[in-house]
Amino acid sequence: ALQDGRKVLVRSFARDDIGKVGKFLNEMVKEGALIALDQKMSQSEEKESGLQSLARINRGELLLWVGEHDGRIVARAAREFEGRRI
């Protein structure tokens, strides 16, 4: 629960999240947030990035979580494991 009482579900990234996470990241870029991206992604770029993330998760190279509130992605966190599997 957040300080204001709203509840956020933190869970593993899933295939159904690909478009939602892309929308979240594009909103962050639009707001000028200091994140790794500085340009919005197209729908095809969102899909490709999401599919690559799923492949890396399946290979044990990446852990990826999302925070969800009212069916909307409001947070994303990742942990990469270079050169080794988790």
Side-chain angles (χ1 to χ4, degrees):
L2 301 176
Q3 287 183 351
D4 64 6
R6 290 179 294 163
K7 302 226 183 223
V8 175
L9 172 66
V10 177
R11 59 176 177 74
S12 297
F13 177 79
R15 184 179 207 90
D16 291 342
D17 295 323
I18 291 174
K20 293 178 186 178
V21 169
K23 182 179 178 181
F24 167 72
L25 292 173
N26 281 339
E27 288 173 0
M28 298 294 290
V29 168
K30 183 179 176 182
E31 291 176 9
L34 297 175
I35 62 172
L37 299 173
D38 61 356
Q39 293 183 8
K40 289 184 178 183
M41 293 187 289
S42 69
Q43 285 184 334
S44 62
E45 290 171 326
E46 291 173 16
K47 183 176 180 180
E48 181 62 28
S49 175
L51 293 174
Q52 287 178 5
S53 292
L54 287 172
R56 293 186 65 214
I57 289 166
N58 289 335
R59 289 193 305 264
E61 299 170 355
L62 176 71
L63 291 175
L64 184 57
W65 303 274
V66 294
E68 184 177 19
H69 173 68
D70 285 341
R72 185 172 163 242
I73 302 296
V74 296
R76 176 186 174 275
R79 171 65 164 98
E80 296 187 40
F81 297 89
E82 294 184 33
R84 59 188 167 103
R85 292 182 162 201
I86 51 174

